[in-house]
Amino acid sequence: MTTLLVIAKEPVPGRVKTRLTPPYSPVEAARLAEAALADSLAAVAAAPVQRRVLVLEGEPGSWLPPGIEVVAQGSGTLDERLAAAFGLCSGPALLIGMDTPQVTPEILAPALAADAWWGCDAWFGPAADGGFWALGLAEPDPELLRGVPMSVPETGEVQRQRLTGAGLAVRDLRVLRDVDTAADARLVAAEAPHSRFAATLAALERAGGR
């Protein structure tokens, strides 16, 4: 069965979601990051997989639900850390981040179905900003990620071309928006109004008179 990976940072003020400051303070940005992470992990916990792994920079907190293994993130640039995460797996693996609190088991379902890997070597979840929010590999090969430029507008295009250039049959998941800016946060909260992220954002907006 597929391993479901989440790569994330401990939500420490000043170390996460720095593009949310301003308008939010570092403490507020960390609260939003924690809510996004909690929502993402809730989706992972509810997904039909045998192994769930949080690849974490930092230490786990009360936001970690039961049933999720925690391993330390590797060092280096983001592409190297993503590659190392796939290196933890010996069979099919799907990796997501902590920036899409609107994710649900239903959104992940195509890549986790019993026939997900029939005639398919990779799953790709494009992000609205040009990156990607999910990546699945039937045979995890860290070299498929190393050297891909991260956090630039063409990240998703380059990563998908890396997959197809290796001769892999790729299927796409739906496009999701990462939470990077305050505008992103409001759009994502509107998309997932019952999420912990939406509730946290609403509380911060009320408290700040925004």
Side-chain angles (χ1 to χ4, degrees), residues 1-174:
M1 292 190 60
T2 300
T3 295
L4 190 46
L5 303 160
V6 182
I7 189 160
K9 289 183 179 180
E10 179 186 0
V12 175
R15 293 179 57 193
V16 291
K17 293 292 160 219
T18 54
R19 290 176 61 188
L20 292 177
T21 57
Y24 304 103
S25 71
V27 170
E28 291 174 328
R31 285 182 59 190
L32 288 170
E34 180 176 330
L37 178 55
D39 285 329
S40 300
L41 292 174
V44 168
V49 294
Q50 187 173 31
R51 186 186 182 204
R52 302 167 181 86
V53 182
L54 173 62
V55 186
L56 182 65
E57 178 184 314
E59 299 296 325
S62 59
W63 38 262
L64 179 68
I68 297 181
E69 176 186 348
V70 180
V71 299
Q73 246 183 72
S75 59
T77 55
L78 180 56
D79 62 304
E80 293 169 334
R81 287 180 278 135
L82 293 174
F86 277 105
L88 299 169
C89 306
S90 58
L94 178 68
L95 180 144
I96 67 171
M98 61 180 285
D99 299 332
T100 51
Q102 71 274 44
V103 72
T104 63
E106 291 73 26
I107 291 173
L108 297 172
L112 301 176
D115 61 353
W117 302 107
W118 294 358
C120 175
D121 303 307
W123 285 90
F124 186 77
D129 64 359
F132 61 93
W133 66 270
L135 181 63
L137 297 172
E139 297 182 8
D141 179 359
E143 293 305 318
L144 290 169
L145 292 104
R146 291 194 178 105
V148 173
M150 296 289 162
S151 303
V152 294
E154 61 271 20
T155 292
E157 179 182 0
V158 174
Q159 181 62 74
R160 202 178 192 288
Q161 287 178 350
R162 178 71 69 86
L163 302 175
T164 57
L168 303 186
V170 183
R171 294 178 185 163
D172 291 324
L173 293 166
R174 59 178 280 190

